[in-house]
Amino acid sequence: MIYTPLTIKALKLSYSLHHGQYDKAGVPYIYHPYHIAELMTSEYSVCAALLHDTVEDTSITLNELSELFPKEVVHAVELLTHEDHVPYTEYIQSIKTDPIAKEVKLADIRHNSDQSRFAGANDISGTKLEQLREKYAAALEMLLAED
């Protein structure tokens, strides 16, 4: 991960906002955005990776983020925030318009596709795992497709 004052601010904020949240395997949620951030190649993509689920899964708003981070980071987080009324395929297509959002989403999909993360988790069925596998495979294909 790239450590700068800005990425450390994003790390601290993400940690604070996701505190007490757990993923489907019962692991503290912060490990997911931290893992994605470790794969990023620029200061802004690290920030976007750390913050990519904050608007969707916590109480912070895009307006609040815009007071703390550059517009490029906030725009990527906005694109990475999947609103319930937006079809998933439309959401994925919009991410392709921004290189930071696309880099983060590719890493996010690859991490979410790693089903070894669910080792020992009893709360997720084989059917649900198969649905997730199909969803992420299709999303990855869309993101990598040349338009």
Side-chain angles (χ1 to χ4, degrees):
M1 182 157 56
I2 300 166
Y3 291 96
T4 68
L6 191 66
T7 64
I8 290 170
K9 179 171 38 171
L11 177 60
K12 289 178 178 180
L13 181 60
S14 180
Y15 179 83
S16 172
L17 291 169
H18 289 299
H19 182 73
Q21 293 180 342
Y22 296 87
D23 68 13
K24 292 175 179 77
V27 174
Y29 193 82
I30 190 61
Y31 292 120
H32 171 65
Y34 186 82
H35 175 76
I36 304 309
E38 287 182 314
L39 303 172
M40 296 298 103
T41 59
S42 73
E43 180 181 46
Y44 286 0
S45 63
V46 168
C47 291
L50 289 165
L51 301 169
H52 81 275
D53 282 336
T54 57
V55 174
E56 194 171 312
D57 296 339
T58 76
S59 60
I60 201 162
T61 66
L62 289 167
N63 285 337
E64 291 168 323
L65 285 180
S66 70
E67 295 172 11
L68 301 169
F69 295 96
K71 66 182 184 310
E72 295 88 351
V73 172
V74 177
H75 180 66
V77 172
E78 180 179 16
L79 290 172
L80 291 161
T81 301
H82 184 202
E83 297 181 34
D84 291 336
H85 70 278
V86 177
Y88 190 71
T89 54
E90 186 177 318
Y91 158 72
I92 294 297
Q93 289 297 332
S94 70
I95 288 170
K96 288 178 72 167
T97 66
D98 182 86
I100 295 170
K102 183 177 177 180
E103 181 183 7
V104 171
K105 192 62 180 176
L106 285 168
D108 180 49
I109 288 170
R110 289 180 174 120
H111 193 231
N112 287 336
S113 297
D114 178 2
Q115 295 193 349
S116 69
R117 292 175 56 208
F118 300 107
N122 298 323
D123 294 344
I124 190 159
S125 70
T127 301
K128 181 63 176 177
L129 287 174
E130 181 58 31
Q131 289 170 342
L132 290 172
R133 188 173 16 259
E134 290 173 7
K135 172 185 172 181
Y136 294 131
L140 192 59
E141 187 177 314
M142 279 189 281
L143 281 173
L144 294 173
E146 298 294 325
D147 288 333

